[in-house]
């Protein structure tokens, strides 16, 4: 049988270990081993962005990173951004602006936007568009997604202020 | 005034489905996992046209973790054939697709074998070891290649030809002052929902029952088809609908895998899951568009349209699937559009090639037809020296002329008429929104190195097809409401819309409503979601069920409160009597839940309509187009949730712009699909089309249903090619460039500009 490896990583603040084949992608490990199925796979070749998760603060395509490369890293998935009962600022803005229809691309766009706004809470519209152009959505035409992210910026700049104080 | 009901219908309420998607707790096909589940992968033909001489799966079967390799031989002598769901013309019957290739393959991507393994990775490993000996046949990739018939029984590759029309087109053309004929085409592309297809099939051998999860769109129809193919009773199969990552016409039709995966589950008596990968998706799911047209227009010298002649040529791919000839038939039917053209003749030729089969994609046939006609209108107006807006205004059907019959354009359909509307008002609104009067002087102008163009496109669009939809509503013991409907949810926010309708009818808060949809377990019969029918049909069925439940609630409350029905009203999940006494829904249903069924039948189609306008620039040095402004104005009769309708319109415009500039399934002359990955198959991204607007009007409700709604999911896409291509053509008119063919890629435009330049030099 194919050899397996154990990988220790922190996912949404919780330390955990997954046992995977070396060829298993991070996205597959999160989905199949940890059952965090909010991370979706739309292409499995790095183009659509549906699988985006945050690894040590950077937005990363979960389908292009191997699980074994995540050893010791800190991962945030969509499940870490807020629960259905307690949505985070970005999620609330998405709901308000109807920035999702089928919801399949949504997790990857939320994680991408979360990583962006955490680093650059004042990103302007062009910058947001540029970053989100790495994520495909077939339902919304992107307009409401951009509007929602623009609105959520305030929550991230507040966070930055709090951190500074 | 606190007891005045707040109505939700017509309001942009936030969607009830959003919280689960936003928190990653949706439930999509690949999220399913059950004990003992095996995984399937499908071996697909790498060749477009060949005889299968032998299949050797011994190496695959010897690999660890492989449970089965299923080929045609395992399925039996009679390979099930996928039925025609729509437009069941007898001519198409022999061209239908078997669920697996047995002696011949006819397109790249056709299923040849199914491997079932402990994991998806192992199944994919095993695919590579299966040896197949082919005898290659030459591939047919275009019309008129009759020497290599795909099907042995047929002399050539034409599956169907028909003529249709009304009036006397020959006479109109003979007497016209002006006639122009042009050839146009729309390239092959597909819907590309972000979730690929996927299924989980579970066979319970002791009960002899099958459950298939991940079904959608037309689950009841598909259950019937599957039951026949498997030779089991319909009642012994359930098709379950869960969350769906986009439909747009392609998802949920009966595909080969809808048989193969259940078959594998029964054969192995184990749950089997199959998740399509993106490469397979691009070669397996229905392709669409791919229509060429020769269109002729006859006019008086003052621009009055007298006659239209259209010849539609449709590349159907290798088989006729469930949608039959809907795409070319609708392309022919919508050629006249919203104009008063007394004499129309159309012909349709559907031909077979060694490519993936064709089916419907959002706005099937309409996207193409509007492009063909609106392009020719601009050419005719220019020839006749008439302003392009004035030409349209003159020929648009007026409200006084409605209902306007357009019978006889589709041989398998009965009479139909454009129902209600004010086509002219919506047209004027679009002109105003785009700033036509202020900007028309920009046509063709070169400013800062780019040429400006403004294009218009008018459309009329059918939706809300019958025959019927069913719903059931239940007031649960805890006072909450469950709504079950036969319509499918394909990511369009239908749960919210149906919840709004039920909430208003029963005065029950939105957050106390749960909407169940699509699955065959919910109702005896359902009809599904296609042809923009979910709100019109499903919504009306829910309204009917909720109205009946309302009567039951009143009856129960009347007994309870000792007051006549006439003195009772429903207020915020309570029944209140004139004398102030009241009883809660929860109390009324405490002993036994109250339930009511509803149904809605309708054979009359609704016709929404509108106008799109685009303002673009073209860089003549590169052929690059920028969309500076885009407006789509549509009358949808009634918008139950304006934010949802608006969101769908914007999404549809962007999909349409993809179809104009990007989306293109490219085949070589060997029938190889050259761009089966998202790196190569281009779709719009967030930076491509940042400025778009949609105006949804509610001018003329549909008379055919109690909600007054018309189909609203497709109006955003159907005139995009028309308006945008006209804008590009207007920008390039000073360079003597005409636009006939999509997609408008920079290389294509650059070549057109260069050729026109070369012609001009030669002429000089
Ligand atoms: S699934 Fe990873 S980018 Fe598409
Ligand atoms: S919401 Fe459906 S793909 Fe983005």
């Amino acid at each position: 049988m194919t050899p397996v490896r154990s990988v220790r990583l922190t996912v949404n603040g919780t330390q955990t270990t997954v046992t995977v084949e070396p060829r298993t992608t991070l996205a597959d490990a999160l989905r199949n081993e940890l059952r965090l199925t909010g991370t979706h796979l739309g292409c499995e070749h790095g183009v659509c962005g549906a699988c985006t998760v945050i690894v040590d603060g950077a937005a990363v395509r979960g389908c292009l990173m191997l699980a074994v490369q995540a050893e010791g890293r800190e991962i945030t998935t969509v499940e870490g951004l807020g629960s259905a009962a307690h949505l985070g600022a970005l999620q609330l803005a998405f709901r308000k602006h109807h920035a999702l229809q089928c919801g399949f691309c949504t997790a990857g766009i939320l994680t991408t936007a979360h990583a962006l706004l955490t680093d650059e809470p004042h990103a302007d519209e062009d910058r947001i568009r540029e970053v989100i152009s790495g994520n495909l959505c077939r339902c919304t035409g992107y307009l409401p997604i951009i509007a929602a992210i623009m609105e959520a910026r305030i929550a991230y700049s507040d966070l930055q202020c709090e951190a500074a104080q | 005034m606190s007891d005045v009901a707040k109505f939700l219908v017509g309001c942009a309420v936030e969607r009830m489905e959003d919280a689960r998607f936003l928190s990653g707790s949706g439930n999509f096909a690949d999220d399913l996992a059950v004990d003992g589940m095996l995984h399937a992968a499908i071996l697909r033909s790498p060749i477009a046209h060949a005889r299968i001489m032998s299949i050797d799966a011994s190496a695959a079967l010897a690999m660890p973790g492989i449970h089965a390799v299923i080929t045609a031989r395992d399925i039996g002598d009679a390979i099930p054939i996928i039925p025609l769901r729509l437009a069941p013309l007898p001519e198409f019957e022999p061209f239908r697709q078997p669920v697996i290739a047995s002696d011949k393959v006819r397109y790249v991507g056709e299923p040849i074998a199914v491997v079932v393994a402990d994991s998806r990775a192992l199944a994919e490993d095993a695919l590579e070891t299966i040896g197949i000996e082919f005898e290659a046949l030459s591939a047919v990739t275009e019309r008129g290649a009759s020497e290599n018939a795909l099907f042995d029984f047929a002399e050539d590759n034409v599956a169907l030809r028909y003529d249709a029309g009304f009036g006397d087109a020959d006479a109109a053309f003979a007497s016209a002052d002006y006639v122009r004929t042009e050839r146009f085409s729309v390239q092959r592309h597909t819907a590309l929902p972000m979730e690929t297809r996927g299924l989980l099939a579970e066979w319970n051998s002791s009960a002899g029952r099958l459950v298939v999860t991940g079904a959608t769109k037309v689950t009841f129809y598909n259950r019937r088809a599957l039951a026949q193919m498997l030779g089991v009773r319909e009642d012994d199969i359930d098709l379950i609908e869960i969350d769906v990552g986009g439909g747009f016409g392609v998802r949920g039709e009966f595909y080969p895998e809808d048989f193969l995966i259940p078959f594998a589950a029964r054969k192995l008596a184990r749950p089997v899951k199959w998740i399509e990968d993106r490469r397979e998706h691009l070669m397996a799911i229905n392709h669409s568009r791919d229509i060429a047209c020769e269109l002729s227009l006859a006019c008086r010298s003052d621009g009055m349209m007298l006659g239209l002649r259209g010849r539609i040529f449709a590349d159907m791919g290798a088989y006729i699937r469930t949608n039959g000839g809907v795409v070319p038939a609708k392309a022919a039917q919508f050629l006249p559009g919203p104009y008063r053209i007394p004499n129309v003749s159309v012909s349709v030729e559907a031909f077979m090639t060694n490519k993936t089969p064709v089916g419907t994609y959002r706005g099937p046939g309409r996207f193409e037809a509007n492009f063909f006609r609106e392009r020719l209108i601009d050419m005719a107006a220019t020839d006749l020296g008439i302003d392009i807006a004035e030409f349209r205004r003159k020929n648009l059907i007026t409200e006084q002329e409605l209902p306007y019959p357009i019978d006889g354009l589709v041989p398998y359909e009965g009479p139909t008429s454009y129902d209600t509307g004010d086509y002219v008002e919506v047209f004027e609104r679009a002109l105003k929104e785009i700033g036509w009067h202020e900007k028309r002087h920009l046509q063709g102008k070169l400013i800062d190195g780019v040429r400006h163009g403004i294009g218009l496109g008018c459309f009329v669009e059918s939706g809300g097809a019958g025959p019927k939809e069913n719903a059931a509503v239940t007031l649960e013991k805890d006072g909450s409401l469950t709504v079950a409907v036969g319509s499918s949810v394909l990511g369009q926010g239908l749960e919210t819309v149906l919840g709004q309708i039920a909430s208003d009818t029963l005065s029950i808060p939105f957050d106390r409503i749960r909407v169940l949809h699509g699955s065959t377990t919910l109702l005896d019969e359902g009809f599904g979601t296609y042809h923009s029918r979910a709100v019109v049909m499903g919504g009306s069925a829910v309204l009917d069920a909720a109205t009946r439940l309302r009567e039951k609630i009143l009856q129960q409350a009347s007994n309870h409160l000792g007051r006549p029905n006439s003195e009772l009203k429903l207020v915020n999940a309570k029944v209140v009597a004139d004398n102030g006494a009241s009883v809660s829904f929860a109390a009324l249903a405490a002993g036994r839940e109250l339930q009511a069924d509803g149904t809605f039948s309708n054979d009359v189609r609704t016709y929404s309509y509108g106008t799109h306008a685009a303002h673009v620039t073209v860089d003549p040095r590169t052929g690059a187009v920028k969309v500076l402004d885009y407006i789509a104005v549509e009358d949808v009769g009634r918008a139950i949730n304006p934010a949802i309708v608006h969101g769908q319109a914007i999404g549809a415009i962007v999909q349409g712009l993809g179809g104009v500039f990007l989306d293109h399934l490219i085949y070589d002359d060997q029938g190889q699909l050259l761009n089966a990955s998202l790196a190569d198959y281009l779709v719009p991204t967030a930076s491509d089309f940042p400025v778009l607007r949609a105006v949804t009007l509610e001018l003329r409700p549909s008379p055919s249903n109690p909600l007054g709604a018309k189909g609203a999911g497709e109006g955003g896409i159907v005139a995009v090619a028309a308006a945008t291509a006209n804008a590009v053509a207007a920008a390039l008119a000073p360079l003597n460039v005409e636009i006939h063919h999509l997609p408008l890629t920079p290389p294509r435009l650059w070549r057109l500009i260069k050729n026109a330049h070369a012609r001009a030099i030669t002429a000089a």
Side-chain angles (χ1 to χ4, degrees):
Chain A
M1 277 309 278
T2 341
V4 290
R5 296 261 298 264
S6 311
V7 180
R8 279 183 318 138
L9 67 174
T10 304
V11 180
N12 299 328
T14 308
Q15 271 209 4
T16 176
T17 303
V18 289
T19 307
V20 293
E21 288 180 33
R23 66 173 170 181
T24 306
T25 65
L26 176 59
D28 280 346
L30 292 168
R31 290 180 48 80
N32 301 334
E33 307 306 319
L34 298 176
R35 295 300 296 153
L36 292 170
T37 54
T39 300
H40 293 158
L41 292 164
C43 71
E44 298 172 278
H45 53 255
V47 182
C48 74
C51 63
T52 306
V53 294
I54 301 167
V55 180
D56 289 343
V60 164
R61 314 242 133 165
C63 72
L64 293 186
M65 181 168 173
L66 295 173
V68 292
Q69 293 174 295
E71 173 71 43
R73 312 276 198 128
E74 218 165 289
I75 317 283
T76 305
T77 68
V78 66
E79 288 91 348
L81 299 184
S83 66
H86 300 280
L87 295 176
L90 202 49
Q91 292 161 317
L92 287 169
F94 267 58
R95 179 159 77 182
K96 177 175 157 197
H97 286 271
H98 286 249
L100 62 156
Q101 288 179 29
C102 77
F104 196 78
C105 68
T106 309
I109 295 186
L110 288 170
T111 46
T112 304
H114 180 74
L116 170 68
L117 295 186
T118 304
D119 280 354
E120 303 172 40
H122 303 292
D124 66 6
E125 181 173 342
D126 283 348
R127 173 70 180 142
I128 293 172
R129 271 190 190 285
E130 182 195 2
V131 171
I132 295 302
S133 68
N135 291 67
L136 298 181
C137 172
R138 283 299 272 174
C139 299
T140 64
Y142 304 105
L143 261 53
I145 292 175
I146 304 298
I149 298 172
M150 300 268 288
E151 179 172 298
R153 288 180 303 183
I154 178 86
Y156 286 81
S157 41
D158 288 354
L159 276 180
Q160 214 177 40
C161 294
E162 275 169 36
Q165 277 160 21
Chain B
M1 294 291 287
S2 61
D3 65 351
V4 172
K6 192 168 139 262
F7 286 106
L8 294 183
V9 167
C11 297
V13 297
E14 291 185 351
R15 306 192 327 160
M16 55 167 86
E17 43 282 79
D18 283 359
R20 71 172 186 269
F21 294 142
L22 287 164
S23 57
S25 43
N27 185 28
F28 294 90
D30 197 17
D31 304 344
L32 300 166
V34 296
D35 285 344
M37 181 170 85
L38 300 174
H39 300 260
I42 294 174
L43 180 69
R44 298 179 182 276
S45 176
I47 316 188
H49 198 189
R51 280 183 210 289
I52 300 174
M53 309 310 287
S54 66
I55 303 177
D56 179 6
S58 52
L61 286 166
M63 291 171 71
I66 303 300
H67 291 256
V69 177
I70 296 165
T71 65
R73 190 172 313 165
D74 303 289
I75 289 166
D77 291 336
I79 302 293
I81 306 280
I82 296 173
L84 290 174
R85 184 173 68 80
L86 299 174
L89 296 169
E91 291 88 338
F92 282 142
E93 297 276 324
F95 296 94
R96 290 173 306 158
Q97 179 167 9
V99 294
I100 197 163
S102 47
D103 53 342
K104 219 175 175 192
V105 287
R106 295 186 176 86
Y107 65 93
V108 170
E110 184 165 0
I112 298 176
V114 183
V115 176
V116 186
D118 283 334
S119 76
R120 188 176 173 211
L122 290 174
E124 287 175 6
D125 291 346
L127 288 184
E128 290 172 14
T129 70
I130 299 176
I132 303 178
E133 201 188 323
F134 291 107
E135 181 187 292
L137 300 165
S138 58
V140 174
T141 57
E142 55 192 25
R143 174 170 177 260
S146 56
E147 62 281 8
N148 305 305
L150 268 68
F151 294 86
D152 296 338
F153 62 82
E155 283 158 30
D156 58 20
N157 288 313
V158 176
L160 170 77
R161 274 198 192 94
Y162 66 75
D163 297 304
F166 52 74
D168 185 345
D170 288 346
F173 274 80
S175 69
D177 300 329
Y178 168 86
V179 170
R180 183 158 178 178
T181 301
E182 293 290 339
R183 294 191 69 113
F184 302 100
S185 67
V186 175
Q187 83 283 9
R188 176 174 281 251
H189 56 287
T190 186
L192 206 91
M194 283 318 301
E195 184 196 18
T196 58
R197 291 179 300 145
L199 292 173
L200 169 66
E202 297 169 88
W203 174 259
N204 177 333
S205 351
S206 50
R209 283 186 58 80
L210 174 72
V211 179
V212 182
T213 311
T216 189
K217 186 170 180 177
V218 284
T219 49
F220 289 86
Y221 178 88
N222 288 350
R223 173 170 73 165
R224 243 182 332 271
L226 182 57
Q228 269 178 18
M229 292 181 186
L230 288 172
V232 301
R233 286 174 349 123
E234 228 177 284
D235 290 351
D236 288 335
I237 301 181
D238 277 317
L239 262 52
I240 307 297
E241 177 170 289
I242 52 176
D243 288 327
V244 168
F248 316 122
V250 294
R251 188 198 302 279
E253 294 293 343
F254 200 102
Y255 287 97
E257 299 82 2
D258 293 286
F259 169 83
L260 295 173
I261 305 306
F263 179 87
R266 180 171 71 173
K267 186 178 160 73
L268 296 167
R270 292 276 294 269
V272 176
K273 182 163 91 168
W274 167 70
I275 300 295
E276 186 181 53
D277 74 23
R278 186 55 72 179
R279 182 167 172 275
E280 309 184 77
H281 177 90
L282 282 159
M283 55 180 63
I285 203 156
N286 285 344
H287 291 179
S288 199
R289 315 285 194 232
D290 209 352
I291 292 214
C293 175
E294 183 182 290
L295 190 64
S296 311
L297 179 63
C299 302
R300 276 196 335 227
S301 56
D302 65 357
M304 284 305 279
M305 292 157 87
L306 300 174
L308 189 77
R309 254 195 216 132
R311 298 171 65 201
I312 295 286
F313 305 98
D315 181 340
M316 304 303 293
Y319 297 101
I320 302 293
R321 282 184 179 165
T322 51
N323 296 140
V326 167
V327 177
K330 294 292 143 179
Q333 182 189 1
F334 286 97
L335 278 176
Y339 301 103
R340 181 191 317 102
I341 310 177
N343 306 290
V344 175
S345 88
V346 295
S347 70
V348 166
E349 178 184 313
F351 60 93
M352 313 305 293
T353 58
N354 292 114
K355 299 178 196 166
T356 298
V358 153
T360 55
Y361 164 36
R362 205 175 201 177
R366 289 86 162 162
F367 181 85
E368 300 91 316
N370 292 327
F371 165 64
F372 304 148
R373 178 194 63 252
E374 296 292 311
R375 268 294 30 237
L376 190 57
I377 283 180
D378 271 17
M379 294 179 187
T382 309
D383 285 348
L384 293 169
I386 303 170
D387 171 82
I388 55 169
E390 187 50 36
F391 188 100
R392 289 180 168 82
R393 201 177 275 128
K394 200 181 270 236
N395 287 290
L396 281 170
I397 295 164
T398 61
E399 185 156 22
Q400 292 70 42
E401 293 168 275
L402 295 175
Y404 187 93
I406 48 150
D407 304 340
L409 292 176
V410 185
Y412 56 86
E413 284 178 3
T416 184
S417 298
Y418 298 155
D419 47 3
T420 54
D422 189 338
Y423 298 179
V424 181
E425 181 174 340
V426 169
F427 173 70
E428 300 294 350
R429 175 70 183 268
L431 291 183
K432 201 169 139 227
E433 294 282 344
I434 201 78
W436 171 248
H437 296 286
E438 306 82 62
K439 289 192 188 147
R440 47 188 289 194
H441 72 276
L442 290 175
Q443 295 286 48
K445 281 260 166 65
L446 186 67
I447 303 170
D448 295 333
V450 293
R451 289 193 182 270
H452 287 249
I454 297 159
L456 306 172
C458 302
F459 72 92
V460 57
E461 142 70 1
S462 68
K468 204 174 162 186
E469 194 52 90
N470 295 326
V473 291
T474 308
L475 186 63
E476 307 288 354
K477 287 179 183 162
D478 65 357
S480 70
L481 187 76
T482 305
V483 176
V485 67
S487 309
S488 274
V489 168
L490 296 150
Q492 75 280 49
L494 188 66
E495 292 172 47
T496 299
V497 168
L498 299 179
Q500 288 176 264
I501 294 168
S503 169
D504 279 5
T505 314
L506 292 165
S507 299
I508 188 162
F510 196 51
D511 58 10
R512 300 283 288 148
I513 300 176
R514 201 160 62 110
V515 179
L516 309 175
H517 45 80
S519 302
T520 58
T521 42
L522 299 172
L523 300 160
D524 293 335
E525 173 76 84
F527 295 84
T529 296
Y530 55 95
H531 198 183
S532 295
R533 70 192 298 280
V535 173
V536 171
M537 302 300 295
S540 298
V542 168
L543 179 63
D544 183 48
T547 308
R548 289 169 200 271
L549 181 62
R550 189 188 160 90
E551 286 312 308
K552 288 192 177 174
I553 291 172
L554 282 171
Q555 198 47 54
Q556 197 95 341
S558 164
N559 300 340
H560 195 281
L561 298 171
R563 311 298 308 168
N565 283 6
S566 57
E567 289 182 18
L568 303 175
K569 58 177 183 277
L570 273 53
V571 182
N572 197 17
K574 289 197 296 280
V575 182
V576 182
D578 283 354
N579 65 3
S582 75
V583 55
S584 73
F585 284 7
L588 290 174
R592 187 157 58 95
E593 53 286 299
L594 298 175
Q595 204 262 339
D597 295 331
T599 184
F600 183 67
S601 307
N602 175 22
D603 286 325
V604 185
R605 295 199 167 155
T606 67
Y607 286 89
S608 58
Y609 58 94
T611 297
H612 290 203
H615 179 188
V616 307
T617 59
V618 187
D619 186 333
R621 294 157 301 188
T622 61
V625 180
K626 228 187 185 153
V627 178
L628 295 188
D629 192 12
Y630 196 100
I631 176 80
V633 185
E634 184 184 17
D635 181 4
V636 299
R638 182 134 178 249
I640 310 297
N641 185 321
I644 288 178
V645 173
H646 185 262
Q648 284 209 25
I650 294 291
I653 295 169
V654 173
Q655 277 189 336
L657 289 167
V660 175
F661 295 110
L662 300 166
D663 292 61
H664 189 187
L665 291 157
I666 303 167
Y667 279 87
D668 69 8
D669 59 6
Q670 306 293 307
Q672 284 295 338
L673 178 57
L674 299 181
N675 58 343
S677 87
L678 288 191
D680 303 302
Y681 183 89
L682 303 180
V683 293
T685 68
S687 48
D688 289 330
F689 306 110
V691 187
L692 312 163
R693 293 175 292 142
V695 174
T696 304
L697 300 171
E698 299 174 290
L699 295 178
R700 301 290 182 273
S702 166
S704 73
N705 65 79
L707 298 166
K710 295 181 172 187
E714 300 178 279
I717 199 168
V718 294
V720 177
T724 313
N726 277 341
V728 171
L732 296 179
L735 305 180
N736 291 310
V737 168
E738 268 305 0
I739 303 295
H740 296 90
H741 307 288
L742 301 183
L744 301 179
T745 58
R748 167 173 273 150
L749 291 177
W750 183 81
R751 228 174 299 125
L752 286 171
I753 294 165
K754 223 178 107 189
N755 292 347
H757 188 65
R759 276 200 312 271
I761 290 175
T762 325

